[in-house]
Structure formats: structure tokens, C-alpha cells
Amino acid sequence: MSDAVLTETEATGAAPAHTTSTGISNEKLAMWVFLGSDCLLFGALISTYLLLRHRSTTPPFDPAEVFDIPFTSVSSFVLLMSSLTMALAVGAIHRGDVRRCRTWLLTTALLGATFISGQVYEFSGFKNEGLGYTTNIFGSAFYTLTGFHGAHVSVGILFLMSLFVMSLRGKLDASKAETVEIFGLYWHFVDIVWILIFTIVYLIP
Amino acid sequence: MAIVERPSPPALQLPAGPQVAPRPLGAFTRPSATTGWKSWLTTIDHKRIGIMYGASALFFFIIGGIEALLIRLQLTSPQGKLYSADLYNQLFTMHGVTMIFLVVMPLGAAFMNYLMPLQIGARDVAFPRLNAFSFWVFLFGGIFLNTSWFLGGGADGGWFAYAPNTGVTFSPGHGMDFYALGLQITGIASLVGSINLIVTVLNLRAPGMTLLKMPVFTWMGFVTQMLLVFAIPVISVALFLLTFDRLFGANFFNPAAGADPLLWEHLFWIFGHPEVYILILPAFGIVSEIIPVFSRKPIFGYPFMVASGIAIGFMGWGVWAHHMFASGIGPMSVAAFSLSTMFIAVPTGVKILNWMATMWGGRLRFTTPMLFAIGLVTMFTIGGLSGVTHAVAPADTQQTDTYYIVAHFHYVIFGGALFAFMGGFYFWWPKVFGYVLDDRWGKWHFWLQLIGFNLTFGPMHILGLQGMPRRQFTYLPGYGFEFWNRVATVGAFIIALSVLVFLINVAKSTRAHLANPVPVGPDPWDARSLEWMLPSPTPAHNFDTVPTVTHLDEFWHRKYQEDETGRVTRARPTDEVAQKGDAADVHLPSPSYWPIVMAAGLPLIAYGLIFNLGIAAVGGAIVLLGGFAWGLEPADDPERAHSHAAHGDGHGEGDGDGDGAGEGDGAGDGQESPEEPAAVSAGEGEGAEGDDS
Amino acid sequence: MKRILRPRFAWVMPLLLLMTACAQDAPQDTLQPRGPIARDIDNLSDPVFLVAGVVFVIVEFGMLFLLWRFRARKDDDPDSAPAQIHGNTKIELGWTIGPALILTPIAFFTIVTVFAIQAKADDATMTVEVIGQQWWWEYRYDTDDDGEADIITANDLIIPAGQTIELDVQSRDVIHSFWIPALNGKKDAVPGRTQGLTVEADEPGTYVGQCVEYCGLSHSYMRQRLIALPESDFEDWAAHQREDAQMPTSGDALAGAELFQTTCSNCHLARGINDEQHADALEQNDGRVLTVPGSAPDLTHFASRGAFAGAMFNLWVTENPDGVVQWDEIGGELNREELEAWLRDPPGQKPMDAVLDSPDSRGMPNYNLSEDQIDLLIAFLETLD
């Protein structure tokens, strides 16, 4: 019976190649599935925003009067660049270049933090101009949507810093390349969601 | 298995004397107990987790059942004065929430967790610790939700929680906060569990187990997980919006601020409709396992059974607004959703007919599991047919929000899902626990449940068509509602009796088994799928050797030979085919504290958001630190191969396994000592606690 | 012999449905249409019920047949099994396409009916605003089409029989649902939206319904009555409703009116009686009366209605003690007992979150009236016909 073949394989102790039925590692597949569910999360939030943004009964009534597109474009660019540095980090670790990977990881985290700082600055400005979380329905929807995105970015920065610290302690090497790559998937997803949000919320009237 | 010895690189040799190498990240060792109550708290074994889901679900079933009996008592007579309208509103809300989220969903999870890895020939799920985490999060969420009874009152907005009635203005108590946060917590459990099981099914199948050789139960479970993974985020958003309104003054459901309450309805039902398929598909899967076994025939039309399940999964996303035919969505939407709702009956009808065709020409054995499976087929048909009558939107404008709907969904969820789960209990009990439940008591259970169920919910069709609305704490005389309400109350108590019979059966059969254990053998029913190839109860390591699969119903085909005409002859006796369960060298992932610890942080966050932010901060810290500890805890086996699929234990950074040594190298189940990693790796700085090859 | 499943109640179901259709004492029966739209619905759903019944019989009796015909016999060889048929693609395709074909005409007629019912709104001769709030229904008519409501009533919705009436269903607080089963399906009252529901009664008569979307404490006690009148009677009714109430001139009724002015003006308006006091109360409270969401039933012609307190209690004694007040019983013998009980302690009669002098109060609070005060008020209220 062909069961014996497997037993033999086990017995020699030879490490089988990735024996997953799809050929993708469990962790990577899990990340893809999770990102799929996150699409629905942001989909629901974006739909909510789209439905509610022009329905405020108290000012500010029009999102366009509040937004500063040039500023947000710059911070969007920053986030976009962080995806580039993330990709560079993944490339570095695949080559076994731990130091360079570490540098790019830190850069990505810093760019992400810059983006978040930009949002904080931007939102305090809005608040001063009279758009708070509870001011009207546009405020609630806008801050909730961007807030969830910001939370995703922040969790990402936390993870990046963990990877960075790990690499300082020498625990990040080419064998861990897939971990970095899987995190990269998450980071790129968060960036893509921002592109969507920026377009739908800021650019399209 | 074999320990491959390699010399340590000389440059990294440690001086003798006290240890100077840094301890591995992760200060705590992993627990090692495999018996005793503590081992259940730290277990990551999918089988134990499945058992815990089942036990918890039964506990909540009793709570939800008591809530139901209280409802029925109040409605026995017109103008009942048993309790206030306020308490009644809490009762029906909590009854619905409990039964759906804390009973039927975890019952499905129980069976799916226990069986899916076995049915695909795997040793566990892809992420065992995550699996344990899911369970504890669910349990703590369910307990959290029910503590509302003692902390100001249960939720009272209905299980569907329509805004703005559920906002602070109209529901000023804490009940709805418990609802929103409690369901958020249980939603996390479901979401995480679904990711786990999807990866499991896609990645951990035994050699030869193509997707189209998986048992129907596993297929239905897989579709269920796909539904969960996309539906849970939507209700998550709805619950977040409600929570932000209630706790932080947001305006999402404040009509004065311009909100549209229909937003809640849409978000809720976009989740809510796939949710009902989440409830029923595992039950369909169970029936698809039971009927072939007790008809001694394979499932009729396996490809159609799988395809119809997938079709239901897809089409289920396109029907949600049939819950909103009277909400004012406009005739175009009404027409469209009416159409889609009608046609989703087609794949379900295929299943009913295929089950009946399985029985056709079979040799039917009316064991208790078979009776319950037949119960689903007959009762779900009734519920499905009333569902088709609702699909006719104009008719639904008369039926919706009346007891006719209450009848419909109880026929499909109770008459459908719950009957199947009861059948599943009797069917798989020997596999899980090593002895059968008494079949005579089982039959009493079945008949009492069938009669009680029909007496309770059958008349509700009439009550609804006579115009009795739902969610009524009382009704007036003179409307024709008295008689059938009385009948329904009697029926409800017969159901309660049947549940009692079930519990007595469990107690009696267990006691009889403990007094006089008779091994039940691997295959008491002469069944078809892989789990029956293993000893009963299933050994901790599942399979001695992972089987190579060549057929659908692989186990059956090892026992019997089939020619082209479908005629069957016995090929091998069962005890030759079944595995002995005595493999001593299978590596199992170690138990872990962190799933339950991290899970405990979540209700703390929830209590904190309601009562005191300090508590929330503590909860958040527990979750955060628990998460780090989880990721950094020592690997259960430092010499294990990196990312070996058949183990699939979650790899965090710092798990510290190198690549190289083969899997299952005799380290046993998690009995390593903390010094072992350092000694073996001789300098763990390079992240390879195993040997570098 | 193994016991065979006998779903005992299988045969009962069609019988029960039949019984439903013939129910006498069922004023909210959905299967006895009294208007053209309800009849359209019934004409569509009756054949669907029939088809469902036929499928039911086929499946359930088919199952019974299978259970009997293919039961295992005692002498079956345990090592053998019947022929292992794996499927039959033709048959399965058949019973995939077959049900779809059966559903197709149902789908077609459903869509036709949806749009037909929608189109009936265009035939409306009159529009009435139907506004739900916790826990009663208000009706506003604009009979002279000047954009302002000139008739504001509650509980009893009066319409001319034989005419198509469009209801603009709205809500002032949470989601409610307006439903008169004899005349049409239901339509939700959603705050912030106006949704149309068309009704037409074949014959004059009294038709009842209940709020049918969970709306809080007194959801079960929020009811509505619709009375269809012959056209001329309706005109008379409308003309009378447009008039203000008459201030009583003497006796208990006058004392009651004065009490009404001081005690009830916070929330209730009776035009011609307490216009000033009600306006003052509104002003004092920033335009918001001391209830959420803001108003109580207009009582100008209170005694012209058949029921009170959200149509929960009969205002007049009925022939059938459990019955519904008919049009010709209005103005007959007053149901004093229930009216007194209400005035004595409203939250005791109907669950409400009503607290005296609280801005968050919902529903009518307990004013701790003495028995004498109650008698005076009732004497006054009787004059508001």
C-alpha cells in the first residue's frame, strides 16, 4: 500500500519540501485569506462613508471645504514610498542581506510613522476648523474610515519595529525571509487601501 | 524521527561552565501537561477544542432554552402578566442571540474542528494555537454577553438590533453595549477560526486527497468558513458603528444628524443572510455523512452535492434584502431580491432530492443518528417551502415580522441544523469518547423532540397568517391567537423534556461505560470516511501513518471492493484496514498558555469600555503582551523542520527553528526542558536553534 | 421490525392552513382580503401555497415510501451492500432545472404584482401622512391642498371606502411599521424617510392592525385602526374634524376643560380649548414639549375616535367584549373603566418610559390625579366629539 512510501520518507528524517497541498506555506495562505476578509471590512467602511458623506445636517456640509488635497497627496506619497522600501526589505532578506533588510525595515516604519503623524496633524487641523468626530455624520464617517486605516498602519509599524529589534538580536536571517515577505503583503494591502480611500474620499467629489 | 547528528561549528563552541548563552526569547516554558483539567486550558489539540466547543454550546443551549420556555409561558394566555414588557424584550433578544451565536455556530464549530482534519488525513489544523485562541475567545465572549443579566439587564433590542432603537436615546441601559461588544468578541473567534480552517483544508490534505475526494461534510465546512471570512467583517463594521454611536457620540444612526437607519439594516443583513447558510451548511454536511452510512450506499451525486453547496455559498450573498421587503427599498430592489431569493431554493432542493436518492435502493438502518438525519430532511423541507413563500415579495409584506417567519426560521434552524447536530452527536460519540450513546434512549429523545418541535412551531404558521406579529410581550383576546399559543407552549415543554432525555442518556451511557468499559472499536457503524479508520476514541496524534488517498470514501474502499456495476464485495476485514493508534514517535505540537491568556484580555477591554477605561487598558495590555509572548514562546521542538506543513504550528518570529532536521524526531509531545535549545544550538544568535545544515 | 418514522403532523399542515382561511374571530387575518391590493397579494400567494403544498406532499410522502420500502431486513448480510449507485447526471440535472422551471412563472407573476401594486399609488385620490412614534400613530390630512395639515388625528385612520388612498408613512423616533392586513402588506416607518403604502377598502368597515416592527417597550400595545366610510360620510367627518373644539360653558365639563388647560397642555393640544397654553408650553421648552420625540396625540376630536392610548384600549363599549369598536359604536356608551384606569396611571396600563417633568420621558407619565380630577377630565373629554 502506498502509505508505506510516506512512512519511509518520515523514517529517513529527510526534510520534505513544502508539503502543503497548494504549494503555498500555511502562513502565507493565511495572510491572503485574512487580507480577503479585510477587504470586506474596508468595503463596508467605505460604503458607509459614501452613503453618509453628504447627509450632514450641521456644518461643515461639504467634504471639499475641509480637505487640503496637496497636503494629503504628500502624505499619500510618503506611504507609497514606504511600500517601495518594504519591497526592498523583502528583496534584501531574500538575498540574505540582513543589514540592508534591517535598514529598509526601519525606513518603512519611519515612513509609516510620518504618514501617521501627517494624519494626526491634518486631523487636528480639521478639528480646529470645526470638524470633530461627533460634529456631524460626515465627521463620524470620515474619522472612522481613516481611523481604521490608521490603526492598520500603526499595527504594521509595531510589527516592523518588532522585526527590526529581532534583526538587531540576530534572529532575522534568510530562513526568515518568508516572514518578512508575508508582512510585506500586509503592508502593501494597507497601502492599496489608502490609495482607494484617498481617491474615493479626497479626490472624487 | 532519526536524530541526525552534526558537529557544532568550532567557532561557536561554548566554554564549559555556567551558561553564558542568552536564554531563548520567551521567558516561559511551554506547558507540558496532557492530562488533568489544566491540560484542557492549554490544549491546542483540535479534538479537545472541538469537544469544548460542543460542551459550551450545550451549556448555552440550556440557557437559551430556558429563555424560550419563559417566553412561551408568557404567551400561553392573552394579556399574560408573568413579567414586564422590559424583561420580555430582554428574553427574546437574548434567546435569539444565544441560540444563533452561542449554540448553533459553536455546534458547527465543534463538529468542524473535530472532524475536518481527520477527514482530510491531517494531524491537526494549520494553526493549533490559533484554534485554541478561537475557542477561548468564543467562550469568554459568550460569558461576557450573559453577564449582562447581572450587570444592568440583558440586551433588549432584538437579535437584529435595528437602529435607532438600539442607540443610547432609546436603549439607555448597558444591555446593547453588551450585545455589540459581546458579538464583536465572538466575531473575532469565528473570523480567526475561519482563516485557520480554510488554510487547513487547502494545505493539509493527505497525499491523494484532491478537493473532489474530500467528504461532503468537509466541503460544506469549507464553504461555511469561506462565508464566515467574508461575512464577519461586515457585521464587525456594523457593531463598531453602533458602539461608536453609543460610547463616543458618533452619528451613524442618528436620524436628526442625517443618518439613514437602513444603513444598519443593510450592513446587518449582508452579514445576516450568509449567516444563515453558515448555520445550516455544516448540518447539511453531517446529514450527507450519516445518510450514506445508514443506507449502505454512497452519497448520490457527489459532484452536485459539492456544487450545490458552493452555489449556496455564492448565491447567499445576493439575497440579503429579502429581509427588507417592507423597509422601503423600492420596487426595483424588491423585484431583484425576490428573484434571487427564489432561485436559491434550487441548489437546496437538489440536496434534498439527492439525499432521498441516496436512500433509494439502500438498506436503511434506523439508528438514532439516521432518525435525526431524516428529521432534518423532512423538517427542513417544510422550512424551505415556507421560505419560498416569503420569496414572493408581495406575500412577504403580509408575512414578514409575524409568527409565520418565526415558524419558518425555527423549522430551518431547529428542524434543520439542530436535528442534524443531535444526529451528529449520536453518530460521532463513539469516535470521540469511545462508547456509544444508548440507542433506545436516543429514540425517545428523537421522537419527543420531533413531536415537541412540530407542536411548538407548526401552529406558528397559522398564528402568523392570522396576523400575530413578532416580538410581542402579550396579545389581546379576540384576535384568534389563544388556542395555538397554548399548543405551542405545550410543545415547548415537550422539547425541554426531550433535551432532558438527551442529557440523561449522556449521563447514563457515560456511567455505564465507566463501570464496564467495552471497547467500541474503530468503526461501529461500518462507515465511509477516514476518521472511522482510527481507534475510538481518536488517539491524540490522529493517524499513525498519514494515509494516501485514492478514492472518495477512502476508508470504505479499503474495506470493500466495487465493480463497474456498483456491486460490492468485502475486500478486507475492518481491523486489518483500521489503524492501531499505537505509533509512539509522532511529534505533536506543545500546548500553550497564550491562547487563553490573550483571549481573556478581550472581555476585559469590553468591560472597560462600558464601565471604566482603566480595565480596558489592562485588557489591552494583556492582549498586546500576550500576543508578543505567543509569538516569541519557545518552539515546541527546536529540531523540527521549518514550516513543515503536517505540523503547521504557528510560526512567530523567534520561534527559532532552523531548517534541517527532519520532523518528528522523537522529542515526544512537548517534554523538552528549557536548557535543551541552548545546549543543542550552541549559540542561538543566528536564529537556528536546530542545527544548520 | 424497526420503527419507521411517521411524521404525524404532515397531513395536518394543509388542513391547518385551510382552517386559517376560514377563521371567524381573526380581525388581522392576512388570508381574508378586504381590498383590491390585499386581493392582488392573496391571488398571488394562494397558488404559491398550493405549489408548496404539492411539493410538501411529494417530498414527505416520498420519504415515507422510502423508509418503508428500503428498510433493512433482519437477514441482510452485514458484509454486503446494495448496488453503490454514485449518481445519475441526467436525473440530477432534471431536478435542478425542474424546480427552476416551476419557480419561473412564480417569479414572473411576483414581479408583475410588485409593480402593479406600486402603480396603484398613481390612482390615489388622497394622501394621508401616517406618522409613527412611541407608541401611537398620528394621521395628518391636507384636505385643502395648501401644504399645511388641517386635520390632525390619532389612532383611527378614517378614509373614504372604495377609493385608493396613499399613505406617506413616517416616523418621529425609531422604526415602526404600519399594517392593516385586510387591505395591504406592511410598510416600515423609518425616521428620516417617507415611504408610500397604498390602501383601498372595498366596503365601509373597521379594519385593524398593529405596529409590526419592534419599537421598544410598548411595541405590543401600539395599534392602529382604519375605518372606511361611505364617501359622503367621510366628507362630513372631514368637515367636522377641521373645526375647532367648543369650550364647555358650565358644570363638570368646564372644570375639566380648565384642568386640561393647566395639566395637559404640556403635550396635548385641543384646538379651541388650550391653544394658548400649549403654545406657551412649547415656547418654554425651546419648542420641544416634555416628551421625546416631541408631541402627544391631538385631542381636538378625541371622542370621535374608537380607541385611545395608541388604539390599545376601546373608548366605547362593544357588543363583543373582546371585540373591536365599530364605527357605529363610536359615541355610544363610554368605556369609563378603562379610561379611568388610564388617567389614573398611564404607565401602569401600558409599559412606557414616562417620567413626570423629565425631558427624556417617553409616553404619558402619571400625573397623580385624584378621582375627582379624573371624573372632571372625563366629563370634558366626552365633549370633544
Side-chain angles (χ1 to χ4, degrees):
Chain A
M1 194 92 90
S2 41
D3 280 4
V5 173
L6 203 63
T7 315
E8 232 191 291
T9 312
E10 289 179 350
T12 61
H18 267 297
T19 52
T20 64
S21 318
T22 58
I24 310 175
S25 78
N26 289 347
E27 292 79 3
K28 195 186 293 190
L29 186 57
M31 177 55 77
W32 279 110
V33 175
F34 167 71
L35 293 179
S37 82
D38 230 15
C39 285
L40 267 289
L41 186 91
F42 281 106
L45 287 167
I46 292 175
S47 306
T48 300
Y49 173 81
L50 283 174
L51 180 70
L52 298 178
R53 63 175 168 176
H54 292 308
R55 293 175 65 113
S56 300
T57 54
T58 53
F61 296 106
D62 186 5
E65 31 180 88
V66 179
F67 293 150
D68 180 358
I69 308 272
F71 180 86
T72 320
S73 307
V74 170
S75 65
S76 305
F77 180 75
V78 164
L79 195 65
L80 211 54
M81 284 304 105
S82 76
S83 260
L84 173 62
T85 56
M86 186 68 224
L88 291 171
V90 173
I93 193 69
H94 271 306
R95 289 191 315 267
D97 189 344
V98 179
R99 258 222 338 206
R100 204 151 270 154
C101 172
R102 177 162 61 229
T103 313
W104 289 126
L105 285 176
L106 183 63
T107 315
T108 308
L110 288 174
L111 287 173
T114 307
F115 172 80
I116 295 288
S117 314
Q119 294 233 292
V120 169
Y121 173 77
E122 190 182 341
F123 296 167
S124 351
F126 292 167
K127 183 85 186 5
N128 289 337
E129 287 168 33
L131 182 70
Y133 186 65
T134 59
T135 309
N136 59 15
I137 208 167
F138 158 60
S140 301
F142 171 75
Y143 286 120
T144 301
L145 172 59
T146 51
F148 265 92
H149 176 262
H152 277 72
V153 174
S154 305
V155 166
I157 295 174
L158 202 64
F159 207 88
L160 281 165
M161 293 316 296
S162 308
L163 287 176
F164 178 72
V165 167
M166 263 183 67
S167 77
L168 282 178
R169 292 173 146 216
K171 303 213 77 189
L172 197 65
D173 63 10
S175 68
K176 285 261 177 289
E178 197 182 61
T179 305
V180 182
E181 187 184 332
I182 292 170
F183 175 75
L185 285 174
Y186 173 81
W187 191 259
H188 294 313
F189 172 80
V190 169
D191 197 3
I192 294 173
V193 169
W194 178 253
I195 310 271
L196 270 171
I197 293 177
F198 181 55
T199 311
I200 293 175
V201 172
Y202 289 82
L203 295 183
I204 298 184
Chain B
M1 296 210 304
I3 296 178
V4 180
E5 294 189 330
R6 299 190 185 91
S8 304
L12 295 171
Q13 244 161 6
L14 284 175
Q19 285 291 351
V20 299
R23 296 175 61 85
L25 282 176
F28 304 112
T29 59
R30 290 178 80 137
S32 52
T34 48
T35 54
W37 65 269
K38 275 191 267 199
S39 70
W40 287 87
L41 298 181
T42 56
T43 187
I44 50 155
D45 179 346
H46 72 100
K47 301 184 290 300
R48 288 188 148 202
I49 291 171
I51 293 171
M52 290 196 287
Y53 266 116
S56 309
L58 282 175
F59 168 69
F60 286 119
F61 180 56
I62 294 173
I63 295 183
I66 291 175
E67 285 157 355
L69 290 176
L70 292 175
I71 291 173
R72 285 307 331 153
L73 279 174
Q74 166 72 3
L75 293 178
T76 310
S77 312
Q79 296 180 299
K81 298 260 190 305
L82 279 180
Y83 12 82
S84 62
D86 188 29
L87 180 58
Y88 183 87
N89 293 343
Q90 295 171 39
L91 281 173
F92 80 70
T93 303
M94 293 298 284
H95 167 74
V97 172
T98 299
M99 288 306 195
I100 291 176
F101 293 100
L102 306 181
V103 177
V104 178
M105 284 176 85
L107 279 177
F111 288 100
M112 289 188 281
N113 265 288
Y114 195 98
L115 294 171
M116 281 166 79
L118 292 174
Q119 290 197 337
I120 61 174
R123 293 203 188 286
D124 206 313
V125 295
F127 303 106
R129 284 179 299 176
L130 214 58
N131 204 14
F133 174 73
S134 280
F135 167 71
W136 294 112
V137 169
F138 146 70
L139 181 65
F140 293 156
I143 293 175
F144 167 80
L145 187 62
N146 278 284
T147 55
S148 62
W149 287 113
F150 311 112
L151 292 172
D156 61 353
W159 89 279
F160 54 99
Y162 277 5
N165 187 41
T166 48
V168 271
T169 316
F170 300 102
S171 295
H174 289 312
M176 289 313 298
D177 295 310
F178 276 95
Y179 168 91
L181 294 168
L183 289 187
Q184 198 74 270
I185 295 175
T186 56
I188 292 173
S190 295
L191 182 66
V192 166
S194 66
I195 296 175
N196 211 341
L197 283 174
I198 289 174
V199 174
T200 303
V201 167
L202 289 178
N203 264 1
L204 301 196
R205 286 168 281 134
M209 171 76 76
T210 61
L211 286 174
L212 288 178
K213 292 203 187 69
M214 299 196 307
V216 178
F217 174 77
T218 297
W219 256 113
M220 297 300 106
F222 179 65
V223 177
T224 305
Q225 302 308 315
M226 291 298 287
L227 286 172
L228 276 167
V229 99
F230 293 118
I232 295 282
V234 181
I235 192 170
S236 248
V237 167
L239 293 171
F240 273 123
L241 301 183
L242 180 64
T243 303
F244 294 162
D245 263 24
R246 291 183 58 89
L247 296 182
F248 306 133
N251 293 297
F252 292 106
F253 304 116
N254 179 1
D260 186 349
L262 256 48
L263 174 65
W264 170 271
E265 292 193 36
H266 281 296
L267 287 175
F268 183 84
W269 288 117
I270 290 175
F271 155 80
H273 199 82
E275 166 70 1
V276 312
Y277 297 116
I278 289 165
L279 297 177
I280 199 65
L281 283 176
F284 282 172
I286 290 178
V287 166
S288 304
E289 300 295 309
I290 292 179
I291 289 187
V293 169
F294 296 105
S295 310
R296 294 187 72 68
K297 280 181 68 210
I299 190 77
F300 188 89
Y302 173 88
F304 270 74
M305 288 303 276
V306 170
S308 61
I310 297 174
I312 290 172
F314 272 108
M315 292 169 79
W317 290 97
V319 302
W320 83 87
H322 67 224
H323 300 271
M324 298 166 64
F325 281 152
S327 301
I329 54 178
M332 286 302 290
S333 299
V334 166
F337 281 99
S338 192
L339 220 62
S340 59
T341 306
M342 270 184 236
F343 286 101
I344 204 170
V346 172
T348 314
V350 166
K351 285 186 184 294
I352 302 272
L353 293 168
N354 276 29
W355 286 321
M356 291 174 75
T358 305
M359 294 166 70
W360 176 282
R363 221 170 278 160
L364 309 179
R365 286 181 289 156
F366 298 115
T367 57
T368 305
M370 181 62 161
L371 289 176
F372 275 110
I374 295 170
L376 175 143
V377 178
T378 49
M379 296 300 106
F380 187 89
T381 297
I382 297 175
L385 288 172
S386 63
V388 172
T389 62
H390 312 323
V392 176
D396 187 61
T397 60
Q398 292 282 32
Q399 298 162 4
T400 192
D401 251 290
T402 68
Y403 264 80
Y404 188 80
I405 304 279
V406 178
H408 159 73
F409 65 72
H410 281 94
Y411 266 84
V412 289
I413 301 183
F414 192 142
L418 204 76
F419 269 68
F421 289 132
M422 289 302 180
F425 277 127
Y426 285 87
F427 187 53
W428 277 292
W429 197 273
K431 178 56 53 191
V432 175
F433 296 111
Y435 60 97
V436 283
L437 290 173
D438 186 278
D439 200 60
R440 263 190 50 230
W441 278 84
K443 294 197 161 104
W444 274 100
H445 171 197
F446 168 75
W447 286 107
L448 281 171
Q449 189 168 312
L450 184 74
I451 292 169
F453 164 76
N454 277 291
L455 271 183
T456 311
F457 299 108
M460 290 186 185
H461 292 100
I462 302 175
L463 284 171
L465 290 176
Q466 284 186 325
M468 181 172 174
R470 291 171 75 170
R471 301 152 184 161
Q472 303 277 299
F473 90 96
T474 191
Y475 53 93
L476 291 180
Y479 285 75
F481 300 151
E482 292 92 310
F483 176 69
W484 292 118
N485 267 295
R486 210 152 280 159
V487 171
T489 302
V490 170
F493 279 89
I494 298 179
I495 295 175
L497 184 60
S498 76
V499 174
L500 192 61
V501 167
F502 172 63
L503 296 174
I504 294 175
N505 192 357
V506 170
K508 271 182 52 81
S509 309
T510 307
R511 249 202 323 212
H513 169 71
L514 289 174
N516 185 18
V518 173
V520 73
D523 185 21
W525 311 118
D526 200 12
R528 310 179 79 94
S529 43
L530 287 178
E531 72 270 24
W532 299 103
M533 208 165 89
L534 303 177
S536 309
T538 318
H541 59 275
N542 294 357
F543 297 90
D544 294 335
T545 56
V546 176
T548 300
V549 172
T550 51
H551 285 93
L552 171 66
D553 289 342
E554 172 68 18
F555 178 51
W556 176 268
H557 285 272
R558 294 185 177 203
K559 293 187 288 184
Y560 294 92
Q561 218 149 42
E562 198 178 308
D563 66 19
E564 327 74 56
T565 65
R567 252 189 339 186
V568 143
T569 49
R570 188 95 205 189
R572 266 168 231 95
T574 306
D575 49 15
E576 244 181 66
V577 179
Q579 298 194 354
K580 299 280 177 284
D582 52 11
D585 52 2
V586 179
H587 163 71
L588 290 176
S590 303
S592 171
Y593 301 110
W594 302 111
I596 190 173
V597 167
M598 243 184 106
L602 291 174
L604 285 180
I605 297 177
Y607 282 119
L609 285 172
I610 297 177
F611 296 112
N612 180 330
L613 282 177
I615 305 177
V618 170
I622 292 176
V623 170
L624 197 61
L625 296 174
F628 272 106
W630 176 328
L632 300 176
E633 73 175 331
D636 48 7
D637 175 10
E639 290 167 29
R640 191 157 52 83
H642 166 66
S643 228
H644 184 77
H647 293 284
D649 191 10
H651 295 260
E653 63 286 5
D655 224 15
D657 28 44
D659 39 19
E663 51 93 19
D665 61 329
D669 12 0
Q671 297 282 350
E672 82 276 16
S673 61
E675 287 73 42
E676 195 181 314
V680 164
S681 65
E684 42 101 288
E686 289 314 309
E689 286 184 24
D691 333 281
D692 273 340
S693 37
Chain C
M1 203 197 59
K2 296 271 161 80
R3 294 169 69 182
I4 303 173
L5 169 70
R6 280 185 297 124
R8 300 181 188 181
F9 294 91
W11 59 271
V12 173
M13 287 310 299
L15 187 65
L16 292 180
L17 280 177
L18 215 58
M19 288 166 60
T20 312
C22 312
Q24 297 284 52
D25 218 5
Q28 284 176 194
D29 195 351
T30 61
L31 299 175
Q32 297 184 64
R34 298 259 190 275
I37 299 172
R39 216 167 9 254
D40 281 350
I41 295 176
D42 202 50
N43 289 339
L44 178 63
S45 55
D46 282 349
V48 176
F49 280 127
L50 188 63
V51 169
V54 168
V55 173
F56 169 83
V57 165
I58 293 175
V59 172
E60 307 291 8
F61 283 91
M63 177 61 88
L64 281 178
F65 170 75
L66 288 174
L67 298 177
W68 167 80
R69 170 77 177 76
F70 295 107
R71 64 195 188 281
R73 318 292 153 123
K74 277 252 170 63
D75 49 1
D76 286 332
D77 174 13
D79 275 342
S80 77
Q84 304 286 286
I85 301 172
H86 293 272
N88 182 323
T89 311
K90 281 215 189 69
I91 294 184
E92 295 173 63
L93 270 176
W95 65 49
T96 308
I97 297 176
L101 288 178
I102 296 174
L103 286 169
T104 305
I106 297 178
F108 174 75
F109 287 110
T110 299
I111 298 185
V112 165
T113 309
V114 166
F115 285 100
I117 293 177
Q118 181 69 24
K120 287 249 164 67
D122 301 334
D123 298 335
T125 56
M126 192 172 84
T127 304
V128 183
E129 284 188 300
V130 169
I131 306 173
Q133 63 179 73
Q134 287 178 325
W135 285 277
W136 57 282
W137 292 97
E138 175 174 290
Y139 311 116
R140 299 168 79 97
Y141 301 70
D142 181 11
T143 53
D144 54 6
D145 269 329
D146 65 351
E148 262 197 58
D150 42 30
I151 300 174
I152 302 177
T153 67
N155 303 327
D156 285 10
L157 173 62
I158 316 287
I159 62 168
Q163 287 185 32
T164 309
I165 313 294
E166 182 68 3
L167 305 178
D168 280 349
V169 181
Q170 307 163 36
S171 165
R172 287 204 182 98
D173 46 24
V174 298
I175 301 180
H176 301 275
S177 194
F178 191 82
W179 189 36
I180 308 282
L183 302 185
N184 196 352
K186 56 191 65 84
K187 188 52 71 85
D188 284 359
V190 181
R193 295 167 75 100
T194 302
Q195 349 231 67
L197 181 70
T198 315
V199 291
E200 180 181 331
D202 293 332
E203 298 291 325
T206 305
Y207 310 99
V208 293
Q210 290 178 252
C211 171
V212 73
E213 183 60 64
Y214 176 65
C215 56
L217 280 177
S218 262
H219 170 56
S220 327
Y221 279 14
M222 181 171 168
R223 291 155 184 272
Q224 54 266 23
R225 296 154 43 81
L226 184 148
I227 300 181
L229 296 176
E231 200 173 321
S232 56
D233 288 355
F234 175 78
E235 295 302 334
D236 292 341
W237 173 86
H240 182 67
Q241 293 287 316
R242 282 192 287 265
E243 290 168 7
D244 286 0
Q246 299 292 326
M247 189 71 182
T249 45
S250 62
D252 284 352
L254 175 58
E258 285 162 356
L259 183 58
F260 183 84
Q261 285 172 331
T262 53
T263 310
C264 314
S265 299
N266 270 335
C267 309
H268 289 288
L269 172 65
R271 292 188 330 266
I273 308 291
N274 68 338
D275 303 61
E276 244 182 72
Q277 292 85 345
H278 185 67
D280 283 344
L282 276 178
E283 213 186 289
Q284 253 174 32
N285 299 308
D286 294 322
R288 179 177 66 85
V289 292
L290 287 178
T291 55
V292 169
S295 66
D298 184 299
L299 297 182
T300 313
H301 294 282
F302 172 74
S304 71
R305 300 174 197 156
F308 66 98
M312 184 59 199
F313 305 111
N314 289 345
L315 187 54
W316 310 98
V317 170
T318 53
E319 198 185 314
N320 170 5
D322 288 336
V324 156
V325 174
Q326 304 294 317
W327 172 249
D328 51 10
E329 287 167 328
I330 296 178
E333 186 188 332
L334 191 73
N335 185 7
R336 257 202 107 80
E337 203 183 310
E338 287 201 322
L339 188 53
E340 279 181 24
W342 173 253
L343 291 172
R344 196 173 292 128
D345 180 16
Q349 297 301 303
K350 179 170 164 172
M352 296 179 290
D353 258 338
V355 178
L356 201 54
D357 290 332
S358 159
D360 297 324
S361 178
R362 277 176 285 137
M364 179 163 156
N366 188 346
Y367 279 87
N368 295 307
L369 300 168
S370 71
E371 290 308 308
D372 288 335
Q373 288 177 311
I374 292 175
D375 288 338
L376 292 176
L377 274 176
I378 292 183
F380 163 62
L381 289 171
E382 279 187 287
T383 69
L384 295 175
D385 58 11

